[in-house]
Each structure stands twice: as C-alpha cells, then as structure tokens.
C-alpha cells in the first residue's frame, strides 16, 4: 500500500546527535526552531539540509520541525 502523507512527513533523519558544528536534517520540512532548556528560541531556519549550530553552547536543546501536516519535537545535544 502507498505511504500516506503523514508517513512521509515523519521520515525525517536528524543527525549527528550530539552535534558538533552542523546538524543534518534529511527529509521534507518547512522550518526548524531550536530552543534551549528554558524554552528560549536560540536558532530558527527555513528548510536547509545542514543547520549551523556552531554558535550554540554545549548542552541539550529541543528541536521543533514543522512539516506540512505536523510538528515534530526531539531533543538534541550540542557537544564540541
């Protein structure tokens, strides 16, 4: 059976985790927001395959990815 749009949207690959300088996001999405543990928006980007995270301090962040139909939320770690 063909995959539904929701199934396709969920096929995002976010790597490496922990990230050093660059976070790769493979798949279709509209934009991404990265928040610190206090909920402050620290980085926002429209679609790119590579997100530069060099300016972020070491630590844990929440990444929110908006696709056509849903918001995906995941923890990432920046470690240099």
């Amino acid at each position: 059976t063909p995959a539904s749009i929701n199934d396709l949207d969920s096929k995002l690959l976010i790597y490496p985790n922990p990230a050093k300088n660059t976070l790769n996001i493979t798949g279709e999405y509209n934009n991404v927001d990265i928040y610190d543990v206090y909920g402050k928006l620290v980085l926002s980007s429209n679609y790119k395959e590579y997100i530069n995270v060099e300016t972020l301090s070491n630590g844990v962040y929440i990444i929110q990815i908006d696709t056509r139909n849903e918001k995906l939320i995941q923890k990432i770690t920046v470690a240099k």
Side-chain angles (χ1 to χ4, degrees):
T1 61
S4 74
I5 291 173
N6 280 339
D7 290 340
L8 294 173
D9 281 352
S10 296
K11 288 189 174 26
L12 288 173
L13 190 57
I14 303 164
Y15 64 95
N17 193 3
K20 201 171 198 175
N21 299 316
T22 306
L23 185 66
N24 302 330
I25 304 175
T26 304
E28 289 186 33
Y29 70 95
N30 297 324
N31 64 295
V32 60
D33 293 324
I34 299 178
Y35 298 89
D36 66 14
V37 291
Y38 304 107
K40 179 183 172 200
L41 179 65
V42 293
L43 196 144
S44 187
S45 176
N46 289 329
Y47 174 82
K48 289 183 192 168
E49 197 166 324
Y50 307 102
I51 306 293
N52 184 339
V53 294
E54 281 183 298
T55 59
L56 299 181
S57 302
N58 287 350
V60 175
Y61 295 87
I62 305 299
I63 183 169
Q64 178 178 301
I65 300 175
D66 291 333
T67 67
R68 280 188 307 238
N69 299 316
E70 60 191 342
K71 289 182 191 264
L72 303 172
I73 298 173
Q74 180 175 331
K75 282 185 187 175
I76 60 163
T77 303
V78 173
K80 299 176 185 178

